[in-house]
Amino acid sequence: MSQSTALLPAPATERGDGGCARPSRATVAGPVLAVGAFAAARLTGMVCVALVSHLTHQDAFRLLGRSWDSRWYTGIAAHGYGRTLFFEPGVVQSDLAFFPLYPGLVRAVATVLPLGYGAAALLLSWLAAGAAAWGVYAIGERLHGRRTGTFLVLLWALMPHSVVLSLAYTEPVLTALAAWSLYAVLSGRWLWAGTLAALAGLARPNGFAVAAAVCVTAAYEIVVRIKGRAPALEAPRKVPHSLWKLGGLRRVCAGAALAPLGWAAYVLYVGIRKGDPLHGYFAVQRGWGSTFDFGAGSLAFVKHLLRDGDKLVFSMTLVIVAGALLLFALLVADRAPLPLVVYTGVLVLITVGGSGFFESKPRFLLPAFPLLLPLALAMTRARPNSAHLVVCALAGLSLAYGTYLVTTAHMPL
């Protein structure tokens, strides 16, 4: 097997009457426990937000479903694209900066169900967060076992900025599509991987990271297959190996071809609307102050932060980004599977190398759940009391800081 599939234990199954394989209780209990723990963590976070909102005379529903970017998404869902806000010279905020999958789904849900756009957006985000938690668990479990998968989900649910997973934002949708696309790559399901990557590319600008992971891994897989060293999938019985190898290559190529289509299609669409097919979308992003400057803007802000100090949110952002860089180094050192390294590396590169809203960088890193694999492995190997202590400490930090972000900080997330 190739590097991308060598770390994949077969799912646990047991034989029932008639000889048909069926999932074992352990197979079913693992994801149920992990998603249940995730739901409990996020529900507790929302209760904290609701309590503080009540005490401070704020509307919790508005804070969760109609704040900052949520208003742009629900506006697109309700009225389509076409809203532009003009500020000082050079600052032009167009709704074309927001990718269409999430507002399209919000509109569909609001059309089918008796819900307003804000409620539909929250419902979608919460369901996507649950699907993402399941996908995160599935990857952790297949690579390192049930315990690691559960810890991986818990760590992801209890990051200081994981409150975003309870808001009407696109990060849950992107993470769900990314996790299951990466799982499909790891298990050799290339058409599924490419299709989910294409949808991820329609969800957010940094959804391109999923396509990059699929394409780079596909290139590696093609080289391995052509050289004939170790095919990723075993040929079925009664099928000549040469034909199986050719069919497998076609699926790998098809998955890689599908992966970038969603992201490329929307960027091209915006470019055509702006009269510049190749650069129009990036001009829209520049209007928001978002460019890729290889970290120059971020470095200048960090210097200001270290020299002069600033708000708590900025200091926490610096700590979170620095921690992400360290965790990425550990992920590479642990020789994680190629698709996880590429996906996470692209997300980290976009976050660190991009300028714009510095306080939003933790949110951009939220889909980079493979960063937490080294910590999940360490907790798996630690004594239970030590692991429980870490979980409790993270829960306290996450609930307190997440509630502060939503109810008190009043800054764009």
Side-chain angles (χ1 to χ4, degrees):
M1 291 183 288
S2 70
Q3 178 187 9
S4 62
T5 57
L7 298 176
L8 303 178
T13 58
E14 61 183 9
R15 291 286 174 180
D17 294 336
C20 297
R22 66 183 183 189
S24 68
R25 291 182 180 180
T27 303
V28 175
V32 169
L33 175 63
V35 175
F38 172 84
R42 296 312 335 138
L43 181 61
T44 304
M46 285 190 285
V47 169
C48 292
V49 169
L51 288 174
V52 175
S53 300
H54 176 73
L55 293 174
T56 55
H57 307 290
Q58 299 181 80
D59 186 340
F61 174 79
R62 182 169 293 276
L63 291 174
L64 293 173
R66 291 187 176 276
S67 61
W68 306 112
D69 286 1
S70 301
R71 288 178 290 181
W72 287 94
Y73 288 120
T74 54
I76 295 168
H79 309 294
Y81 286 101
R83 182 187 181 200
T84 302
L85 301 180
F86 298 88
F87 297 95
E88 63 264 24
V91 179
V92 180
Q93 296 183 349
S94 167
D95 59 8
L96 289 171
F98 298 91
F99 277 50
L101 180 63
Y102 183 60
L105 291 174
V106 170
R107 184 179 183 88
V109 170
T111 301
V112 173
L113 300 178
L115 297 174
Y117 289 107
L122 278 176
L123 176 62
L124 270 171
S125 184
W126 295 343
L127 291 175
W134 186 8
V136 170
Y137 168 83
I139 288 177
E141 188 272 336
R142 291 201 63 132
L143 293 180
H144 301 291
R146 290 177 57 196
R147 186 173 169 84
T148 300
T150 302
F151 276 129
L152 185 61
V153 172
L154 269 176
L155 288 170
W156 187 59
L158 296 175
M159 289 293 94
H161 48 294
S162 289
V163 68
V164 172
L165 299 173
S166 300
L167 305 180
Y169 270 52
T170 53
E171 275 68 24
V173 175
L174 172 59
T175 309
L177 293 169
W180 286 108
S181 177
L182 293 171
Y183 184 85
V185 172
L186 292 170
S187 54
R189 297 175 174 91
W190 288 98
L191 294 179
W192 274 110
T195 301
L196 293 171
L199 291 173
L202 287 171
R204 284 195 53 76
N206 56 355
F208 174 77
V210 190
V214 173
C215 291
V216 170
T217 309
Y220 171 83
E221 192 79 0
I222 289 169
V223 171
V224 167
R225 285 172 179 266
I226 290 176
K227 290 185 176 180
R229 290 185 301 190
L233 300 175
E234 295 180 2
R237 294 179 180 179
K238 300 182 180 180
V239 176
H241 181 74
S242 59
L243 293 180
W244 173 249
K245 180 178 176 181
L246 179 60
L249 279 174
R250 287 174 176 169
R251 285 191 292 274
V252 173
C253 293
L258 284 170
L261 290 184
W263 187 88
Y266 184 69
V267 168
L268 183 62
Y269 164 76
V270 174
I272 292 173
R273 281 191 57 156
K274 303 300 290 185
D276 186 354
L278 296 181
H279 303 101
Y281 174 78
F282 303 101
V284 170
Q285 287 285 4
R286 285 195 298 273
W288 280 81
S290 298
T291 59
F292 188 83
D293 58 4
F294 298 95
S298 297
L299 183 59
F301 190 86
V302 169
K303 289 179 179 178
H304 149 72
L305 186 59
L306 295 176
R307 183 180 62 247
D308 306 321
D310 212 310
K311 297 179 180 179
L312 173 63
V313 173
F314 295 131
S315 299
M316 281 294 295
T317 296
L318 178 58
V319 171
I320 291 169
V321 173
L325 292 173
L326 175 60
L327 289 173
F328 181 69
L330 292 175
L331 184 72
V332 174
D334 283 348
R335 302 184 67 181
L338 178 62
L340 300 188
V341 172
V342 174
Y343 167 70
T344 309
V346 172
L347 287 178
V348 171
L349 179 63
I350 291 173
T351 301
V352 174
S355 64
F357 297 97
F358 188 79
E359 64 275 18
S360 296
K361 290 185 182 295
R363 175 166 62 88
F364 300 157
L365 286 170
L366 196 56
F369 63 89
L371 288 173
L372 302 170
L373 263 175
L375 292 180
L377 278 169
M379 293 175 66
T380 301
R381 296 162 183 161
R383 295 179 178 179
N385 288 342
S386 300
H388 296 159
L389 181 62
V390 171
V391 169
C392 290
L394 282 174
L397 174 61
S398 177
L399 296 176
Y401 185 65
T403 303
Y404 167 79
L405 279 177
V406 175
T407 63
T408 307
H410 301 302
M411 294 182 66
L413 300 177

